[in-house]
Amino acid sequence: FLHFVNNGPMRAVTIKGLPKNIKSAEMYVTDASRGMQTIKEYRIDNGVVTLTLDPQSYVTWVGIID
């Protein structure tokens, strides 16, 4: 699990150094109108992923081990 708080506008975030056995992750968002809503699944390439954080949101990111 990784958690992010974005107090600003929408932004891209790159995460490096993830374990090689995690090949994808699901992202859930909580904000003023959504509560733990599944947003999308991200593919992880060689321990690196770039994701987009919605504005004014709390994001939970759950890695899926292959």
Side-chain angles (χ1 to χ4, degrees):
F1 292 98
L2 291 175
H3 301 285
F4 303 92
V5 175
N6 183 13
N7 288 324
M10 183 179 287
R11 66 187 74 220
V13 175
T14 299
I15 304 167
K16 300 177 182 179
L18 295 166
K20 304 286 186 201
N21 63 337
I22 299 178
K23 303 295 183 190
S24 63
E26 291 182 339
M27 189 168 104
Y28 302 85
V29 67
T30 298
D31 61 16
S33 62
R34 299 172 288 182
M36 285 297 289
Q37 180 179 344
T38 304
I39 299 299
K40 69 179 286 185
E41 184 173 322
Y42 284 87
R43 298 295 308 159
I44 299 167
D45 185 29
N46 217 13
V48 178
V49 65
T50 298
L51 51 97
T52 302
L53 300 180
D54 287 345
Q56 302 293 316
S57 64
Y58 179 82
V59 174
T60 300
W61 196 73
V62 180
I64 300 168
I65 297 173
D66 287 343

